[in-house]
Amino acid sequence: MSKTYHLTAPLSEADVVQLGAGDIVYLTGVVYTARDAAHKKLIDLLDAGQPLPFDMNGAVIYFVGPTPPKPGDPIGSAGPTTSYRMDSYSPRLINEQGLKGMIGKGKRNQDVIDACVKSKAIYFGATGGAGALLARQIKSSEIVAYPELGPEAIRKLEVVDFPLTVIHDSFGADLYKIGRAQYEICS
C-alpha cells in the first residue's frame, strides 16, 4: 500500500529511508537539473580533483532539459528525460558525493540501484509528457553552471509540491518489477 509524503529538498537519510517503491512524494525546496552532458562535466571535475558547482550532499538532481520560458515564467516545459543515460555517472555521485535523489523517467541499471541501497538514495519518476504541468510547480530557475550547454545547463530550481513517484527505494525495491508482478497475478 503506497503512502503520500511531503518532503523538503535537500533530503536527509531519514527522509529517504521512510520511502518505499510506489509511494507518492510532493517535493518542495531546491532541485538541480543535469542531463548527460552536464553529468560528464561533473565527473571530469571529480577526476581532476576540482570542486563541483553545487553541494551534492543531500541534493536532488532532475534529469531535464527545459524549454525556454514564456515571458514572466521562470521556466518553460520541464518534463523528465530518460534516465539510463546518466547510469554510468550516478553511482559515483551517490556513493562519493552524497547525492540523495534523482528524478527522471524509465529504468535504471543495477549499479544505480545498488548505489541507492548502499548510500541510502532514491530514484523518483516524474510523469513523462507532462512537462508543461510540471513546470507550474517550479517557482524559480537560475543557471549555476555550464551555460554553454543551453537547455542542458545545470540549473538551481525552487520547486513547490513537485509530484513524484518512488521508483527505486533505498532498500532495492523496484516499482517496475512490483507493478509487473501485480499485473501478472491479476491476468
Side-chain angles (χ1 to χ4, degrees), residues 95-110:
N95 291 330
E96 296 178 18
Q97 299 300 310
L99 177 66
K100 284 294 179 201
M102 299 159 287
I103 304 168
K105 67 178 182 181
K107 295 180 179 181
R108 307 303 302 273
N109 71 21
Q110 192 61 48

Side-chain angles (χ1 to χ4, degrees), residues 14-86:
D15 292 328
V16 170
V17 299
Q18 69 183 326
L19 302 174
D23 286 345
I24 304 300
V25 173
Y26 292 93
L27 188 65
T28 297
V30 173
V31 171
Y32 293 92
T33 69
R35 287 181 47 158
D36 34 332
H39 273 75
K40 181 175 183 334
K41 288 181 173 280
L42 293 172
I43 295 300
D44 289 346
L45 284 175
L46 292 176
D47 288 343
Q50 299 294 317
L52 297 178
F54 65 94
D55 184 5
M56 190 87 49
N57 191 38
V60 176
I61 294 180
Y62 185 19
F63 306 143
V64 62
T67 63
K70 293 178 183 173
D73 290 344
I75 201 163
S77 183
T81 195
T82 305
S83 302
Y84 74 82
R85 291 194 306 264
M86 279 55 74

